Amino acid sequence: MAKVEVKDLLEAGVHFGHLTRKWDPNMAPYVYMERNGIHIINLYKTAAKIDEAGEALSKIAASGRKILFVATKKQAKDIVSEKAGAINMPYITERWPGGMLTNFVTIRKAVKKMASIDRMKKDGTFMTLSKKERLQVDRLRAKLEKNLGSISDMTRLPGALFVVDIKREHIAIKEAQKLNIPIFAMVDTNSDPRQVDFVIPANDDASKSIDKVLTHVTGAIADGLAERKAEKDSAKVDKPAPSKKAETATEEEE
């Protein structure tokens, strides 16, 4: 993972918090000062927290578990879908489907429904339906794709959640807490950091800030994935070839 430079965070505006009157006092340890009625985040602490979060996320990725990214606010949607998609991690950028985690079995059924519609189109069954039925199925498929398309490969609960704006994504946070799923998040000065396991104090409103933090985070995950792949490749190379004795025994059995 590339070293987090405070200068880069500063240029991306990561240090700009909310208006002082809107702050959450629990964010006090991460606030550097107040300027023109706005809280300024301590970027040295942000850099340290990005490193800490990156190390933990890299280990989760190396273990083979998925990290679910959640960001439904306009400024973060495209950034999250691009960055998470590039490392093949699931993401939610539309409305959070209630019960996404706590009722995962039902969500999986909806994803399977989407797959069955795709099969119908491939094997020709779709064309045997009436025009009205085809239209209804297409609408259902489009709706499922919009809400669940990015999690279609997620066959089990994620190993962690990464959230942009914990105030906005409070339902996702509560579901993860119920299931003891570790929560990583960009936390602005108007939010309560106690809800999160790995806090990254940062401006969660500006697209440049979100992009900068996500670049470091997904870079760390990519490192974990590369480590996992290297271990798998190494295991294949190190696998001992069958001995002559074992080969002879096999031939005799045949």
Side-chain angles (χ1 to χ4, degrees):
M1 178 180 158
K3 190 176 182 333
V4 183
E5 297 288 349
V6 170
K7 180 172 69 73
D8 294 340
L9 298 178
L10 187 69
E11 285 173 3
V14 178
H15 58 299
F16 291 119
H18 274 265
L19 293 169
T20 51
R21 59 186 169 82
K22 288 187 175 181
W23 87 310
D24 188 304
N26 293 298
M27 279 297 286
Y30 306 110
V31 172
Y32 175 62
M33 65 181 288
E34 178 231 316
R35 184 187 293 158
N36 300 328
I38 292 172
H39 274 130
I40 303 298
I41 295 165
N42 187 329
L43 291 181
Y44 287 97
K45 291 195 175 181
T46 301
K49 288 293 184 181
I50 291 174
D51 283 337
E52 186 185 319
E55 197 176 318
L57 286 166
S58 181
K59 284 178 183 172
I60 291 169
S63 74
R65 288 172 294 166
K66 294 284 188 182
I67 293 127
L68 176 61
F69 285 77
V70 186
T72 60
K73 70 198 300 182
K74 190 181 176 184
Q75 308 93 302
K77 277 185 181 188
D78 293 343
I79 297 166
V80 167
S81 58
E82 180 198 333
K83 303 279 186 191
I87 53 170
N88 200 28
M89 286 294 166
Y91 56 88
I92 296 288
T93 53
E94 297 301 325
R95 184 184 64 85
W96 174 264
M100 166 75 214
L101 300 176
T102 51
N103 198 8
F104 190 65
V105 175
T106 303
I107 296 294
R108 282 302 303 160
K109 281 180 184 172
V111 170
K112 283 177 183 173
K113 178 70 179 172
M114 196 161 67
S116 73
I117 292 171
D118 291 342
R119 278 196 301 273
M120 283 170 64
K121 290 191 174 186
K122 277 184 183 175
D123 63 21
T125 314
F126 181 72
M127 295 313 293
T128 64
L129 303 173
S130 68
K131 189 177 179 181
K132 186 181 178 182
E133 286 171 330
R134 288 203 302 270
L135 188 63
Q136 287 172 338
V137 170
D138 273 336
R139 280 176 182 162
L140 174 61
R141 176 68 178 77
K143 186 181 177 183
L144 289 169
E145 175 65 39
K146 185 179 179 183
N147 294 323
L148 306 171
S150 63
I151 61 159
S152 55
D153 295 332
M154 201 169 79
T155 54
R156 56 176 175 156
L157 284 169
L161 220 64
F162 188 95
V163 179
V164 177
D165 194 339
I166 63 173
K167 256 179 148 20
R168 186 183 178 96
E169 315 301 347
H170 62 279
I171 300 170
I173 297 285
K174 280 177 184 170
E175 288 192 30
Q177 286 171 339
K178 273 185 187 175
L179 299 169
N180 293 320
I181 295 171
I183 303 164
F184 294 74
M186 287 178 68
V187 185
D188 214 326
T189 57
N190 66 332
S191 305
D192 185 355
R194 295 176 300 175
Q195 300 175 55
V196 176
D197 299 291
F198 290 84
V199 177
I200 298 176
N203 175 353
D204 65 12
D205 289 315
S207 54
K208 276 188 178 179
S209 172
I210 296 165
D211 189 283
K212 181 58 67 178
V213 173
L214 263 290
T215 296
H216 285 293
V217 165
T218 53
I221 294 169
D223 289 346
L225 293 171
E227 186 186 319
R228 179 175 171 78
K229 187 178 183 298
E231 281 177 7
K232 277 187 175 180
D233 292 345
S234 175
K236 282 178 188 173
V237 172
D238 295 342
K239 196 175 181 182
S243 64
K244 287 286 180 188
K245 192 175 180 181
E247 282 176 3
T248 307
T250 306
E251 284 168 9
E252 285 173 0
E253 281 173 16
E254 288 173 353

